[in-house]
Amino acid sequence: DPIIGFGRHLLGSDDATCSPGTHALTCNASTSCEDCAPGYYCEGGASSPVACPAGTALASYGGSSAADCSACGAGDYNTLEGQAACTKCPAGYSCADAAATPQPCSPGAYSLGGGDECVACPAGHFCSSTGNAPARCENGTYSLSNWAYCVSCPAGHFCPNSALVPTQCPAGTASLGGEGAGGCTVCALGTYANVSGLVTCAQCPEGHSCADVAAAPVVCANGTYSALGDYLCRDCEAGTTSGVGA
């Protein structure tokens, strides 16, 4: 057959149809066979080019069957037919279905691009943007898996590990919130917290001692006394007396 250019030849009287990988093209009453363009395959004969389906691509000329259309790789997509290349899934989206539109990550998940799934934001981190890498929680805050933001450690608790649920303040301590690895504040002399998880320490009541800030107040014995906020009972002065709990 006479050659007229790259990937093209004229159909002569002995030519019945174009060979696989080419298709017939008529121009100015002359018909020639031309290589199938990228994104399409040509089975030969008198058939027209067939577009590769969505979710696939064909980069080269001369495709001759549907098998020449390659499926998009993991993290790539293509929503259109007849494409020469697939597109990388954008950051903040998942592309589990290579033939469908990318789906945005939900709050608390993220992707950095080129992924077929969104990833849960790990505990101890926050993901304020679904397209950025997770960032660590600051001291005194915490987050659990799939949380978008870190939150302040609640009152009556401390957060030694920002990836775990808060821990109650032990007896003898208290917290107004936001406590981190340093723990809760120990009760001052003259105050007490005899149960865990308290926000503030209570003043030792009149007529009691609070030598152990983690225990309940102890009633003063006969001949001793204490004022509100005292941590020890005192002996009465000579010539004076007091009853129990005075």
Side-chain angles (χ1 to χ4, degrees), residues 119-151:
V119 180
C121 196
H125 296 71
F126 66 95
C127 297
S128 56
S129 170
T130 58
N132 292 334
R136 288 187 176 277
C137 294
E138 296 181 355
N139 185 43
T141 67
Y142 77 102
S143 76
L144 302 181
S145 178
N146 212 38
W147 285 20
Y149 296 97
C150 303
V151 296

Side-chain angles (χ1 to χ4, degrees), residues 46-146:
S47 62
S48 299
V50 180
C52 289
T56 69
L58 176 55
S60 61
Y61 285 86
S64 60
S65 71
D68 291 326
C69 301
S70 299
C72 294
D76 292 341
Y77 76 101
N78 183 7
T79 60
L80 302 176
E81 297 179 343
Q83 300 301 300
C86 298
T87 303
K88 180 181 177 181
C89 196
Y93 290 80
S94 65
C95 296
D97 184 351
T101 301
Q103 297 299 304
C105 297
S106 59
Y110 74 99
S111 78
L112 302 181
D116 54 359
E117 293 182 352
C118 297
V119 180
C121 196
H125 296 71
F126 66 95
C127 297
S128 56
S129 170
T130 58
N132 292 334
R136 288 187 176 277
C137 294
E138 296 181 355
N139 185 43
T141 67
Y142 77 102
S143 76
L144 302 181
S145 178
N146 212 38

Side-chain angles (χ1 to χ4, degrees), residues 139-221:
N139 185 43
T141 67
Y142 77 102
S143 76
L144 302 181
S145 178
N146 212 38
W147 285 20
Y149 296 97
C150 303
V151 296
S152 179
C153 202
H157 297 74
F158 69 108
C159 296
N161 187 330
S162 61
L164 300 177
V165 295
T167 302
Q168 277 194 334
C169 292
T173 68
S175 167
L176 294 175
E179 298 291 352
C184 303
T185 303
V186 176
C187 295
L189 291 178
T191 66
Y192 72 99
N194 62 326
V195 294
S196 61
L198 292 183
V199 177
T200 59
C201 301
Q203 276 193 303
C204 196
E206 181 181 2
H208 295 72
S209 66
C210 297
D212 183 354
V213 295
V218 177
V219 176
C220 291

